Amino acid sequence: MTLSGVAARTPDGRTLFDNLNLSLGRERTGIVGRNGTGKTTLLDLISGDRAPAEGSVARAGSIARLRQEADRAPDLTVAGVLGAEAALARQQRILAGEGTADDLAEADWTLETRLEEALAAVGLRGLALGRDAATLSGGERTRLELAALELVGADLILLDEPTNHLDEAGRALVAERLATWPGGSVVVSHDRALLRRMDRIVELSPLGAAVYGGNYELYAERQAVEREAAEHDLAVAERAVVRTAAEAQRRAESKARRDRVGRRKGMKGDMPKMLRDAKIEQAEQSGASQVRLAAKQAEDAEQALAAARDRVERVRRMSLTLPATGLAAVRQVLTLDRVVVAPAKGVRIGPVDLRLIGPERVAITGPNGSGKTTLLDLIAGRLEPSEGQVGRSVPMAMLDQHASILRDEETLIEAWQRLNPGGTLNDAQAALARFLFRNVEAHKSVATLSGGERLRAALACVMTGPEPPQLLVLDEPTNHLDLEAIEAVEAALAAWDGALVVVSHDRDFLNAIRIDRELRLD
């Protein structure tokens, strides 16, 4: 697979990336970049689902793709996802004595065995082939899509956020299948554990694509070096602009002094007119030349400054600061006393005992389907326990992975004012500005926000009101964030002085926010 001079643009004409040159073979390639830079679009171009705005794409092998959950067909059976419905129907016709000559010629009697092996390899042994795929959990559907890739056996596989919604076992399985895949793979992901298994990283940005040999750790090291170099170059460029302006001013003042001296000499009348006129012309030409030189130097310095700012913008990391809560170290925060949740349908949870005192940080862990989100809903007061008692002693807020406290039809200003009814418009604007939504950004519609922007907006709305929470309850907060947003949220939470209860399968995230202990549900 070779992409030559490829450009991609949005329907409204905005350029996502331009002049992209990339060759793909048997290596594992990780695609990273801020939300909105065109990572999924790049997969569309590679797969042939989309034509480039410019350039060409050459394919010399077979390609298969695992899509994000939102892009998957909802009305398929398990066999349909595996691409086996027609072949299984052919076998059924033959066994029923209704098969045609074509059926007999095309029948694959190894298919059922291969289907069983593929499902077993992804932890779905015994899954009914006729089951509606829409009834599977997000993690189960991802495993099923991986099994489909195994059956296809393509030369190049494309995976778009394959570990979203997967528990630790599922994430490990994805990494294992990639490690043993005989062909090439292109992976869009913010899962740093998975990116560590890549052979190279391609970073997309508004300035283009940058290719980094090696895995995520080497990429992160190079990024740190580039940030330092970019900040240094920006400082040099800023000084050059000031120095160029000062030099131009010095030259102008020097010329003005020489002109005054010349005029005084001319006024004495002891210089021949021809010589005086020649000196005037020479001075004018010299002055014009100096003006042109100063303008050229100023233009060059400003262009260098603009380029340095662009480079800093590409590598600079987002920074967030959460307001202090003043939570006392001995303050009782949360108590679960022999709590049981026994819904009519679903998993019974409990009995669970949990006590949070002061700014403790607890991770709720366990496999998919073990009831982690249900327990968070109980802690947040969205559910009542079937048995036991829940004690909440401090102001708290819960943010799920979709930041559903925000409403798509609102602007950010409207969302802040709804969630903080005592605040003024100025309060809302100041609060949102602290979370990098300044000026017109504060009037954006919630529906237009990326995953990272949505979580940032939700934090702004719940953390900057008259009574900011001292306990935050977070459900898979990194699922829809890009790497930059994840690192910004990690740094903000690590420095925050409040208490945390977090559900996350991202071990890097849990380590970064300094989890004190884990409560595991099985």
Side-chain angles (χ1 to χ4, degrees), residues 252-267:
E253 291 173 352
S254 177
K255 181 181 182 304
R257 286 195 297 271
R258 291 196 302 272
D259 289 347
R260 286 196 297 273
V261 171
R263 285 195 297 272
R264 284 197 296 270
K265 288 184 177 180
M267 291 174 63

Side-chain angles (χ1 to χ4, degrees), residues 114-133:
R114 292 190 295 112
L115 290 174
E116 291 173 2
E117 291 174 348
L119 290 172
V122 298
L124 296 176
R125 185 186 301 276
L127 183 65
L129 295 174
R131 180 172 170 179
D132 187 348

Side-chain angles (χ1 to χ4, degrees), residues 87-147:
L88 290 172
R90 182 182 300 118
Q91 289 185 7
Q92 291 300 317
R93 288 195 300 271
I94 293 171
L95 292 173
E98 301 170 354
T100 65
D102 288 341
D103 286 338
L104 290 169
E106 297 175 13
D108 178 5
W109 297 104
T110 68
L111 178 61
E112 290 191 11
T113 299
R114 292 190 295 112
L115 290 174
E116 291 173 2
E117 291 174 348
L119 290 172
V122 298
L124 296 176
R125 185 186 301 276
L127 183 65
L129 295 174
R131 180 172 170 179
D132 187 348
T135 64
L136 301 176
S137 69
E140 289 171 330
R141 182 65 188 263
T142 296
R143 289 170 180 260
L144 180 60
E145 298 268 354
L146 284 173

Side-chain angles (χ1 to χ4, degrees), residues 140-208:
E140 289 171 330
R141 182 65 188 263
T142 296
R143 289 170 180 260
L144 180 60
E145 298 268 354
L146 284 173
L149 293 183
E150 297 271 356
L151 287 166
V152 170
D155 297 308
L156 180 69
I157 56 173
L158 314 178
L159 292 85
D160 199 351
E161 299 289 3
T163 58
N164 266 9
H165 310 292
L166 291 184
D167 55 23
E168 290 188 30
R171 288 174 176 236
L173 184 142
V174 170
E176 175 196 338
R177 306 319 294 173
L178 275 175
T180 58
W181 185 259
S185 56
V186 181
V187 184
V188 170
S189 181
H190 61 257
D191 183 340
R192 287 160 288 187
L194 187 60
L195 292 173
R196 290 189 187 101
R197 292 175 175 258
M198 298 294 106
D199 299 312
R200 63 175 176 173
I201 302 293
V202 176
E203 182 193 49
L204 295 183
S205 77
L207 300 182

Side-chain angles (χ1 to χ4, degrees), residues 452-519:
E453 289 173 328
R454 194 174 181 108
L455 180 61
R456 183 155 40 100
L459 285 170
C461 289
V462 302
M463 300 300 294
T464 57
E467 189 179 31
Q470 295 180 314
L471 168 62
L472 266 181
V473 180
L474 304 175
D475 189 5
E476 294 288 5
T478 64
N479 259 3
H480 300 286
L481 306 188
D482 55 43
L483 283 171
E484 180 185 10
I486 290 173
E487 291 173 358
V489 171
E490 284 174 348
L493 291 175
W496 188 54
D497 67 341
L500 289 172
V501 177
V502 182
V503 166
S504 178
H505 296 297
D506 186 339
R507 185 56 54 179
D508 286 292
F509 176 76
L510 295 179
N511 291 338
I513 64 174
R514 304 199 308 270
I515 288 296
D516 297 309
R517 54 196 168 106
E518 296 185 18
L519 173 62

